Amino acid sequence: MVDEQSLNFLLSYCISALRQCSSWTHVEILQALAALVYNNGPKCQKFLPDLLGTAGLLLQFSDPAQPDVELRRAAVRSMANLCLSVPGQPYLDESYRSVCFQTFLSVLQSSKTTDVDDITFCMLLQSALKGVQSLLNGGKMKLMQIDQIGALLAVLKKCMFHGLPGLSIEVPTALYPAPLPQYDKRSPVKQEQSEPATSKQTGSRRKKCKGKQKKGEFGEEGREDSGDAGEESVLGADMVKLQLGDVQSSPCPQARPRVSDVCAGKDPPSCQPCKRLSSSESEYSDTEGGIQSKVRSYQANVRQGALACFLSTIKSIEKRVLYGYWSAFVPDAPGIGSPQSVSLMTIALKDPSPKTRACALQVLSAFLEGSKQFLSVAEDANDHKRAFTPFSVTIASSIRELHRCLLLALVAESSSQTLTQIIKCLANLVSNAPYSRLKPGLLTRVWNQIKPYISHKDVNVRVSSLTLLGAIVSVQAPLPEVQLLLQQPGCSSGLSSSGSATPGREQWRKAVPWAGQSPQGSPAGCAPPEPCWLLCLCVSLVILPREDSCSDSDAAFPSLGSVYEPCPLRLEALQVLALLVKGYFPMTQSYFLGLGEVACRCMEEMDPSIQLHGAKLLEELGTGVLQQHKPESPTAPEQRVPVSVVVTFWTMMLNGPLPGTLQNSPHATLQTSACDALSSILPEAFSLLQGDQQILCVTLLLGLNHSENPLVKAAAARALGVYILFPCLRQDVMFVADTANAILTSLHDKSPNVRAKAAWSLGNLTDTLIINMETMGQSFQEELSDLLLLKLLRSATEASKDRDKVKSNAVRALGNVLHFLQPCHVANPRFREAIEESLQALIATVGSEATMKVRWNACYALGNVFKNPALPLGEAPWATEAFSALSSVVKSCKNFKVRIKSAMALSIPSRRECYGSTEQFCHIWSALVVALQRSEDTEDFLEFKYSSSLRSQLCQALLHLLQLARSSDLPLLGSSLREHGQAIRPYVLQYLSSPGQEGEAGAPTDLRDRERALQGAIEHLSAMETELQGKARLRVSLFLEDVLTHHTSATELAEA
């Protein structure tokens, strides 16, 4: 480090020397300048005009017209060092950044002239690439302009292939967003000249090493041969092997012989690591001369620098912009008679440097990360026979080609680090591809090819292999293709049952006794199925002691004195188990109790990370049972896990390490997960637990609600919100009171997350009040403390002014509490002010600019308020404001679901007196009529699917008002029908003839109920009009009779 005073003196000296000394000294002066400014950029601000200004020295020396390349390289290196950022220090001004970026870009766009040696040119490119990367990383530079992005991506693509043997491509000065490959021209002359030499060279190397290569091994020589000459034919032959599921040819070190091969008398593949030339062998071979080896090394560094820069570029571009260049970097299936376009996979398959291959795969992974929305358009499930290729088919073809190329790379790779990147890249692809829209088979090939790598000698490869399997079982679960894969017997894995990471059947039974028995969680009368291979594998990795010796890479992962597998491997296995239970619970429920034992054993260990993932597995098991026992579950009752088994499961948990984890754990994240797990208990099973166990659960949660850690406190508040809905607990007034006080305490916590969870639980608690009021009647209402009820009302009102995540449930709770109030509460002076404040809060929320979820809940809450006959709905001033707010929302809210809920609220009052004066009644009517006419007007196409439900609810509300109308309302109703009758008539007819979807809205779905409602309105109006001697008959009841007659005629005609 140089102090600032010395730095200023030395920089001034260098700048003066560059201006005054002879040109032969400039290169060394610039080298000294580069060393001085390295990591000192923020301290050089006052020298920037001399260096980077309009006539700056660095700009002069880095100019493309500069004949001395060494001088130019030294200037670019100094500029790149100036662009390095220092944490906590100001960065270069925008004007200097732009100047540097353009300079680096011009360097990268330049071509090598004949008088420049390869090594110097490579060093020039490296300096420019480092400069661009520094600008993107340290300067947080955001690439926004298409020309700027296109120019940078073009030079990066050019440098990515710099010096790659057997490949010469021409890239334009800029790339542009396009759905198809563009400007991908190879130089035929150069390729033809290079191919014979390369083939001869690799052939001689193959001959040289022939005696050392063993059967079943893939050497580096074969890799380079297939990459440089005859790539298409070699890759095609390898693909045939992949499609046949030939996993024996995998280069996986220590691959086990397959049972079928051994039985057929075939020699097993060698267990020695596959021969592949290292950098010392391939890049610095004495037979090729030191200069050529050095050139190849520098060219590889350029390619690595370009890929590292590309990685930074991806982070600096919006994904939606980046995917416009998808076809320029991601492979597509070659057309008939045309060569395959060069892409990132070209480097991953052909580059002789393992480090460069790994860099290319890292970039491809970053490209694929977050691509789910872009790839979701892909579709090739049906054969497209059209004159053009749809974009969806193009993307699907690209996805298939990515699978093919990555599997080829997997088979051909021997470097453990690069293997890890290939598998991670596959996992990223699997996580984002829309397999439900693609022809099946892709995941099957990935599944079969990855199995041998589970027993790889390198622990990182094994961990990434499990990550890939986890991605397969979690993507769009459940997929039929994955279900078939999971049902395959374990012996088809390509691994032997002895000495591998996967236990055989007998070993499995010995390690896990419940695997060989008829499971209690399986349907009655069913034979025990063959254990799922993946489930067996993961459980064995978690609980079985390791058998083989520790590899070099395992040394970094000590695990319980090396008794068990390395910790990262066990953690990944637990995560896969949790994903398997989550996505394919019916396939794992046969071993429900056994998996519970696994979770228990993990939570008993000392390692907090193992305990944490054991708790997460426990939570997924509980959630799986909950989903299966829901009323709307598609699983037949006899196919579900029996409640008695669930009781046994939770008894085992509560007698095991779960209570101790909740009480004594110093790790907040672990306590949080354990709390979430405890909240996943099945209500029917909880009611059958012993009394002391029920008390234990409740006591633990109430105690954790006072935790000082916000994560634990939030989880406990949420769990109480789950328990308050249990039938066996919600009728206990003491439990309701204790839970209410605990939730109210959390509702005033300083943590927003705690308040949000507490508000959700408060909503559930008030739902319980309504359920108890309807089922238990007056007895429960009298037992509940008035003071507690007042606290609930005031706390919910206060919470309704909080942020939206709290507010949405706070207004729901307000509606429930106001619905629950009795006449004695309404008349009580202590309640009067709180009721008024809470109603004003609801009304304000309905008309606010809050999120749609908040406004939907507010409309729902007002509907609940209208159900309480104790509230003076027709007389109170707040009622007018409430009806006015709902009327405004039903006409103009952009969100149709909010409109539906407001129309439903307007149709809830059951007596005409609740709607107030004639003017107010007719104002509500007019608002509903206008809303019906606007029910198809929307700027958001996503809202259009709710328009049918909205019209049904509006028609139901209009008929409800007509059934309650008084004689004084008829003149204004008649006037409205005279003006808008013809406009709303088609909607009413549609309402009578088209049933809505169940649960869409509050409107009745039975057409006969709708006809009866219309008939009831006609009879009600006719009776009134008879008393008025027919003065308003022409405009009201006759209109409805005409609608009914038309509907009846249309129905009879349709039936005939």
Side-chain angles (χ1 to χ4, degrees), residues 847-860:
S848 68
E849 294 298 320
T851 60
M852 296 308 167
K853 181 179 179 181
V854 173
R855 298 179 72 184
W856 187 95
N857 274 322
C859 293
Y860 171 81

Side-chain angles (χ1 to χ4, degrees), residues 894 896 936-943:
K894 293 179 181 179
F896 276 17
E936 294 181 353
D937 300 341
T938 177
E939 298 176 0
D940 188 352
F941 179 75
L942 296 176
E943 294 298 324

Side-chain angles (χ1 to χ4, degrees), residues 424-474:
K424 286 181 178 179
C425 196
L426 269 171
N428 246 336
L429 175 60
V430 168
S431 298
N432 290 284
Y435 292 100
S436 57
R437 296 166 59 91
L438 303 174
K439 291 178 182 176
L442 289 176
L443 288 175
T444 301
R445 287 194 281 275
V446 175
W447 180 275
N448 290 332
Q449 286 299 113
I450 201 59
K451 278 185 175 181
Y453 293 89
I454 298 297
S455 57
H456 196 278
K457 68 172 185 178
D458 189 281
V459 70
N460 292 312
V461 174
R462 297 173 70 189
V463 171
S464 57
S465 300
L466 283 175
T467 303
L468 176 54
L469 289 171
I472 292 175
V473 298
S474 64

Side-chain angles (χ1 to χ4, degrees), residues 460-683:
N460 292 312
V461 174
R462 297 173 70 189
V463 171
S464 57
S465 300
L466 283 175
T467 303
L468 176 54
L469 289 171
I472 292 175
V473 298
S474 64
V475 62
Q476 300 161 33
L479 279 176
E481 183 180 358
V482 178
Q483 286 179 323
L484 291 174
L485 291 171
L486 291 171
Q487 290 168 359
Q488 289 179 357
C491 62
S492 66
S493 67
L495 303 174
S496 70
S497 60
S498 60
S500 79
T502 309
R505 177 73 181 208
E506 294 305 319
Q507 187 180 359
W508 172 252
R509 287 181 179 178
K510 183 178 178 181
V512 189
W514 43 267
Q517 303 170 0
S518 180
Q520 294 182 356
S522 61
C526 292
E530 179 77 15
C532 167
W533 170 82
L534 185 57
L535 187 144
C536 294
L537 167 70
C538 292
V539 173
S540 64
L541 289 173
V542 173
I543 66 174
L544 290 183
R546 61 189 310 167
E547 296 181 357
D548 54 349
S549 59
C550 180
S551 71
D552 295 339
S553 59
D554 293 350
F557 306 114
S559 175
L560 295 179
S562 299
V563 174
Y564 293 106
E565 295 287 352
C567 185
L569 195 63
R570 300 180 72 208
L571 292 177
E572 200 63 42
L574 281 168
Q575 289 188 58
V576 175
L577 270 180
L579 291 171
L580 191 59
V581 170
K582 182 178 181 179
Y584 298 88
F585 184 76
M587 301 189 68
T588 60
Q589 73 180 66
S590 300
Y591 305 100
F592 182 66
L593 291 178
L595 290 172
E597 290 179 23
V598 173
C600 269
R601 288 179 63 169
C602 289
M603 293 176 68
E604 288 170 349
E605 292 193 14
M606 299 300 295
D607 189 335
S609 56
I610 298 290
Q611 290 178 305
L612 175 64
H613 285 82
K616 289 184 180 295
L617 175 60
L618 174 58
E619 182 187 356
E620 291 298 345
L621 288 166
T623 304
V625 173
L626 280 174
Q627 296 293 331
Q628 201 178 61
H629 281 261
K630 282 186 174 180
E632 65 273 15
S633 170
T635 308
E638 63 274 10
Q639 296 294 324
R640 299 173 183 174
V641 178
V643 175
S644 59
V645 174
V646 182
V647 173
T648 304
F649 176 89
W650 283 107
T651 301
M652 175 175 63
M653 295 301 148
L654 293 171
N655 290 334
L658 183 59
T661 302
L662 286 165
Q663 288 175 305
N664 305 319
S665 175
H667 303 282
T669 309
L670 176 56
Q671 273 188 306
T672 301
S673 290
C675 208
D676 291 337
L678 192 60
S679 68
S680 66
I681 187 170
L682 186 69

Side-chain angles (χ1 to χ4, degrees), residues 360-376:
L361 291 160
Q362 278 184 308
V363 173
L364 184 57
S365 282
F367 221 97
L368 290 170
E369 193 173 345
S371 62
K372 184 174 291 186
Q373 186 175 0
F374 172 72
L375 297 181
S376 64

Side-chain angles (χ1 to χ4, degrees), residues 186-201:
R186 304 194 193 188
S187 174
V189 178
K190 291 182 181 178
Q191 199 168 0
E192 287 173 6
Q193 291 174 351
S194 61
E195 281 183 0
T198 309
S199 300
K200 184 177 179 181
Q201 173 187 328

